[in-house]
Amino acid sequence: MAAPSQPHQATYDAIVIGAGIQGSFAAYHLAQRHRDTLLLEQFILPHSRGSSHGQSRITRSAYPRVPYARMMPDSFCLWQRLEAEAGTSLYRRTGLVVLGPAGDPELEGCRRSLGADQVLDATALAQRFPGLRLHAGEVAVWDCTGGVLFADRALRAVQEVFRRYGGTLRDGEKVLCIEPGAVLTVTTTAGVYRAPRLIITAGAWTGDLVAPLGLRLPLQPLRIDVCYWREKEPGSPGAGQAGPCFMTLGLSQAPHSIYGLPALEYPGLVKVCYHHGSPADPEERDRAPTGAPHPYITLLSNFISSYLPGLEPQPAVVETCLYTNTPDEDFILDRHPKFSNIIIGAGFSGHGFKLAPVVGKLLCELSLGEEPSHSTAPFAITRFPGVLRAAL
C-alpha cells in the first residue's frame, strides 16, 4: 500500500502502531476528528499473520458480560456508518443460537443482555435450525441481531475511509524503538516519526513493544485451529450457507465454547471452531505446536457428531489464526500508567472484531484526553498486579 518512494513526513498529531481492525478503527476515528494520523503496519498489506484476516466473523448482541452488551448497540451503529461511508455491505444477518445447560450463568447473562425472553426449547430450535441438536437439560437463546461480518472487506473499508479523511497508512515498517516524552519518537525500519500521542494496537506483538516502556502485560498469544466442515448432503436445511451462527456456553466437553457460522471463505462448508488454542510465538505462528499438531480437532469432531450430525465428522480444511488472550479474557484499553500519552489496546482474546468500531472510538477518546463514551474501568491495566516495572 505504501509506495517506497513516498516522502516520509516526520511529525503527526497521532501515531497508531498496528493496522489490524482495532488499530485501523482507532486511526479512522482520529482522522475523522481532523487529527493528522499515521497508521503503521509491520507487514505488507494484506497479510494473514495476525488476528484480523479471513472473510468472516460473528457479530451479536448477546453477551454474558454487561460492559460488552452495553457497547454492542453503538458498535452496530458504527458498522452501519462505515458501510455508508465505504459504499459496501459489511454484514449479513443470519441470527445466532447460543446453547448450553439450562441455568448456566453465562447463558443467563446472554439472555438478560437481549432484554427479552428469547429462550428456545428443542422443538422450537429444530424448526429454526434443524441441523443443530439440543440434548437433555439444554436450552438455546435466540439472538435475531446475530450475523456474519465480512472481515477482510471491513478491514479494507476502514483503511480506505481513513485515508480518504487524510490519514497516512504505511505498511512494511516494523517499529524498532519507542521513545516516550511530551512528543514521542517512533523509529521504524524505514523512518523516524514524532507525535504528541501514540496508540499501540499491535496484537500478539504488543507485549514486546511495551516491555521497554516498563510494562509486563500478561498477554498470551494462542494458535487457533480454524476448521471448515463439509455437509453430508449439500444444501440441507438449517446448515451451510442457509444456517444461522451459533455458539456454546457451559458445555462440560467444551469449557472454552465452540462457535460456528456459514463459511464465506469456502462455499458449501461450515466454519466450526473451538474458542481456545495452544501457546504460540507470533513470529512462528505456522510452526505446529509440540505434541499433537491439532490438539482440539478430536473435541470438535465429537461435538459435531453429537450436535451437528449433518456435517462430516472430520474437517475438510484446517487453517490457523492468532488470539492474544488476557488471563480474564477481557480487553486492555488504557493509558500507560507512567506515560499518559501512550494508549494501549490489547488482549482482544478472540472476541474483539465485532466491537472494533467502539474500541477504536474509545482509544481515540483516551488519546485525546476526553471522557470515554463507555466506561473503560473493566479494561484497566492495573487490574493485573505487578505489570509496572523499571524500564529497561
Side-chain angles (χ1 to χ4, degrees):
M1 281 192 180
S5 59
Q6 180 181 338
H8 288 217
Q9 177 182 328
T11 304
Y12 293 85
D13 294 330
I15 298 172
V16 180
I17 299 174
I21 196 66
Q22 313 293 349
S24 294
F25 262 112
Y28 157 95
H29 284 288
L30 283 163
Q32 191 184 54
R33 304 281 205 92
H34 308 292
R35 297 321 198 269
D36 189 11
T37 304
L38 171 65
L39 177 58
L40 291 169
E41 170 56 47
Q42 65 173 321
F43 300 116
I44 299 295
L45 293 168
H47 70 84
S48 59
R49 297 286 300 274
S51 304
S52 295
H53 65 281
Q55 291 189 43
S56 56
R57 296 290 189 281
I58 290 176
T59 189
R60 54 189 162 102
S61 295
Y63 245 111
R65 292 268 286 115
V66 171
Y68 302 112
R70 287 178 176 166
M71 292 159 68
M72 277 310 303
D74 195 8
S75 193
F76 273 109
C77 289
L78 289 169
W79 279 118
Q80 290 168 355
R81 187 174 80 183
L82 179 63
E83 284 185 318
E85 289 173 319
T88 187
S89 173
L90 301 175
Y91 162 68
R92 189 176 85 203
R93 182 180 293 201
T94 63
L96 171 83
V97 174
V98 188
L99 67 91
D104 176 78
E106 287 198 306
L107 194 67
E108 283 298 299
C110 282
R111 184 184 62 79
R112 286 192 299 270
S113 73
L114 295 173
D117 189 4
Q118 297 287 339
V119 176
L120 305 177
D121 60 18
T123 302
L125 180 66
Q127 292 173 342
R128 295 200 190 195
F129 192 5
L132 178 60
R133 286 182 180 170
L134 277 182
H135 294 260
E138 295 175 351
V139 296
V141 172
W142 175 251
D143 178 355
C144 65
T145 71
V148 180
L149 285 168
F150 307 147
D152 281 345
R153 191 188 301 178
L155 186 61
R156 286 195 305 271
V158 69
Q159 290 171 355
E160 287 169 6
V161 176
F162 161 68
R163 289 188 294 178
R164 200 184 304 159
Y165 281 129
T168 301
L169 172 55
R170 300 196 64 86
D171 61 348
E173 290 198 33
K174 184 177 179 65
V175 171
L176 303 176
C177 179
I178 300 167
E179 298 171 49
V183 176
L184 302 121
T185 302
V186 177
T187 303
T188 75
T189 48
V192 179
Y193 309 102
R194 293 175 180 83
R197 55 186 64 85
L198 172 67
I199 297 175
I200 300 174
T201 49
W205 290 266
T206 299
D208 288 342
L209 275 177
V210 301
L213 301 172
L215 275 186
R216 192 190 302 273
L217 296 180
L219 298 174
Q220 176 61 71
L222 297 178
R223 179 184 183 272
I224 305 298
D225 289 329
V226 182
C227 302
Y228 301 85
W229 311 74
R230 183 170 284 113
E231 297 172 74
K232 291 177 179 175
E233 297 181 18
S236 56
Q241 300 304 296
C245 303
F246 74 87
M247 58 182 287
T248 71
L249 291 173
L251 296 185
S252 59
Q253 67 269 44
H256 294 280
S257 91
I258 292 168
Y259 63 91
L261 61 157
L264 305 179
E265 298 90 336
Y266 299 104
L269 302 185
V270 182
K271 186 175 179 178
V272 182
C273 309
Y274 189 45
H275 189 63
H276 194 61
S278 307
D281 179 342
E283 296 292 349
E284 298 181 349
R285 191 204 70 176
D286 294 327
R287 176 181 291 183
T290 55
H294 301 289
Y296 300 110
I297 297 292
T298 300
L299 181 152
L300 285 170
S301 294
N302 291 338
F303 171 83
I304 281 171
S305 296
S306 182
Y307 286 83
L308 292 162
L311 300 182
E312 296 287 352
Q314 293 300 320
V317 178
V318 180
E319 298 175 341
T320 60
C321 186
L322 281 179
Y323 284 7
T324 305
N325 280 36
T326 60
D328 57 13
E329 296 189 9
D330 286 330
F331 306 162
I332 291 172
L333 306 173
D334 202 359
R335 297 180 177 89
H336 189 293
K338 187 175 179 182
F339 308 114
S340 62
N341 60 345
I342 298 177
I343 312 301
I344 299 164
F348 295 102
S349 302
H351 67 108
F353 200 102
K354 70 185 78 61
L355 285 153
V358 178
V359 166
K361 183 168 74 166
L362 293 172
L363 294 171
C364 168
E365 291 164 344
L366 287 170
S367 75
L368 296 175
E370 299 175 355
E371 183 70 22
S373 49
H374 298 271
S375 172
T376 57
F379 313 117
I381 288 172
T382 51
R383 74 184 190 270
F384 303 115
V387 294
L388 193 62
R389 59 193 178 91
L392 298 179

